[in-house]
Amino acid sequence: MGECSSEFRGWEELIPDALGLIFRNLSLQEVLTVVPRVCKSWGHVVSGPYCWQEIDIEEWSQRCKPEQLDRMLQMLITRSCGSFRRLSVSGLRNDSLFSFIGDHATTLQTLELPRSEISDSIVECVAPRLSNITFLDVSYCKKIGARALEAFGQHCKSLIRLRRRMHPLEVADKVCQDDEAYAIACTMPKLRHLEMAYLLLTTRGVLEILSQCRDLEFLDIRGCWDVKLDEKFLKERHSGLKVLGPQIVDCYERNFWDECSDYSDSSVYSWEFMEDGLDFYEGGSDDDGVWDEGQPLDGLEVRFYGGGLNDAFLAFDWPPSP
């Protein structure tokens, strides 16, 4: 009996890296509000860098309050200890938060900032600190233009994927955005994947990109109605290039604005996230309102189906047996 029991390891003996991999299969809410309540060792894992090498809060950030986003982002980046490789967040509302990201971006490779209110000037200041970026998403960022793209290109020499899509309504007051195409062509020669849907481009601007970005494998120009590319020319000069658009009927053309646009705020998350410094283990109190939905943990069962750890299956009941 003793020999059989020795084959099983206690939860507290799992290494933090392994737990971090498992916890990535959970939602943001579960990682921040449920996992820390299981045991002290799990709380330490969530509070450290193990769970935050990839920070993906884009969905949550579209529905939270602005002040919550600031606090959440600062908390998670701080927890990563500068080791986060991916950051996906929507709607940065000021330049200072973007600068904060740049201050901790030593290992950052994927940066997704759709719908953010960053400016050309702050991008020019922060871009030198983003030298390891390989994938950049600045879609629906209305306040930036060719200056920002040029700064990204000059300093992000490893950039191979760029997403710069816009909403048709956001470019309605613009005349032409070929300056963005020229900035990309001049500073991002290693691009393999480029999305520029609904920018007001001309054929000349797109041809400049094709002439300079010789490694390009995918180009999205949906809704760029002034672009006319000859099929014969593409087959002869760019046989390995897949072009999407401009003649593509998608949700914008069907006028399903409410269903397809990225501007719906009809649903709002009601849960609160855990702040740094709160301790559930010394005193055992939740007086700070971290878990304020009135849901007791009695009878809670949590299951993890882990990819990457030989499909590990873990389950436990709460409260634990005496």
Side-chain angles (χ1 to χ4, degrees):
M1 185 72 178
E3 294 180 1
C4 182
S5 300
S6 64
E7 295 177 5
F8 298 93
R9 300 175 61 185
W11 292 107
E12 68 279 1
E13 295 181 32
L14 286 177
I15 61 174
D17 288 324
L19 287 172
L21 289 173
I22 296 171
F23 294 160
R24 289 179 195 175
N25 294 292
L26 301 176
S27 69
L28 180 67
Q29 177 181 357
E30 291 168 328
V31 172
L32 291 178
T33 62
V34 178
V35 172
R37 294 164 170 262
V38 174
C39 63
K40 191 170 184 178
S41 62
W42 285 24
H44 288 161
V45 171
V46 172
S47 298
Y50 311 101
C51 292
W52 311 113
Q53 294 180 10
E54 294 190 6
I55 302 175
D56 183 357
I57 58 173
E58 181 176 357
E59 182 180 352
W60 177 83
S61 61
Q62 292 181 44
R63 296 164 173 82
C64 71
K65 298 177 182 178
E67 61 272 15
Q68 289 179 325
L69 175 58
D70 293 358
R71 291 161 54 205
M72 175 72 84
L73 195 56
Q74 291 173 358
M75 181 183 75
L76 297 185
I77 290 178
T78 300
R79 288 187 179 188
S80 77
C81 299
S83 65
F84 66 109
R85 298 187 298 267
R86 178 191 174 208
L87 174 62
S88 180
V89 56
S90 177
L92 293 187
R93 61 174 182 164
N94 54 56
D95 287 349
S96 61
L97 204 52
F98 182 55
S99 182
F100 177 80
I101 293 170
D103 291 339
H104 299 80
T106 306
T107 60
L108 186 60
Q109 298 176 347
T110 297
L111 180 59
E112 300 167 80
L113 301 172
R115 305 170 192 84
S116 293
E117 298 294 319
I118 56 177
S119 64
D120 285 330
S121 57
I122 192 61
V123 170
E124 290 174 333
C125 293
V126 174
R129 290 173 263 166
L130 304 173
S131 57
N132 292 320
I133 296 292
T134 59
F135 174 45
L136 175 66
D137 184 354
V138 284
S139 298
Y140 317 114
C141 295
K142 299 178 291 184
K143 293 185 177 181
I144 64 171
R147 282 175 53 196
L149 294 178
E150 183 177 359
F152 280 126
Q154 288 175 342
H155 298 284
C156 306
K157 297 299 184 180
S158 300
L159 191 64
I160 59 175
R161 297 185 63 196
L162 173 65
R163 184 176 292 156
R164 174 64 173 151
R165 300 181 301 202
M166 297 299 288
H167 190 287
L169 294 180
E170 293 171 336
V171 297
D173 60 339
K174 298 184 182 296
V175 178
C176 181
Q177 292 175 292
D178 270 353
D179 57 341
E180 294 196 19
Y182 297 141
I184 291 171
C186 293
T187 63
M188 304 179 187
K190 295 182 179 180
L191 282 182
R192 298 178 188 171
H193 184 109
L194 176 59
E195 300 180 36
M196 304 183 73
Y198 292 96
L199 264 70
L200 297 181
L201 304 175
T202 67
T203 303
R204 183 177 178 182
V206 173
L207 289 178
E208 185 66 20
I209 291 175
L210 295 182
S211 68
Q212 299 298 324
C213 303
R214 306 298 299 178
D215 296 330
L216 203 59
E217 300 171 354
F218 178 82
L219 176 63
D220 180 1
I221 51 173
R222 287 172 297 161
C224 303
W225 306 119
D226 291 333
V227 176
K228 311 296 180 183
L229 296 178
D230 182 69
E231 276 192 40
K232 183 178 179 182
F233 168 78
L234 290 176
K235 289 181 180 179
E236 292 178 353
R237 298 287 190 89
H238 305 278
S239 58
L241 175 65
K242 178 180 178 180
V243 178
L244 181 62
Q247 305 296 330
I248 292 290
V249 177
D250 59 13
C251 60
Y252 295 142
E253 270 63 61
R254 292 197 300 268
N255 293 322
F256 294 161
W257 299 107
D258 292 336
E259 296 180 15
C260 299
S261 75
D262 299 293
Y263 295 91
S264 173
D265 17 306
S266 58
S267 58
V268 179
Y269 284 135
S270 61
W271 58 276
E272 298 288 339
F273 60 84
M274 184 179 71
E275 290 279 15
D276 278 341
L278 296 181
D279 194 337
F280 299 108
Y281 314 107
E282 296 180 5
S285 172
D286 189 23
D287 294 336
D288 299 281
V290 174
W291 185 267
D292 57 2
E293 295 188 21
Q295 300 178 0
L297 294 179
D298 294 342
L300 172 68
E301 181 177 305
V302 178
R303 298 174 181 270
F304 303 102
Y305 299 86
L309 282 178
N310 298 320
D311 295 324
F313 171 82
L314 309 178
F316 64 90
D317 292 322
W318 185 266
S321 302

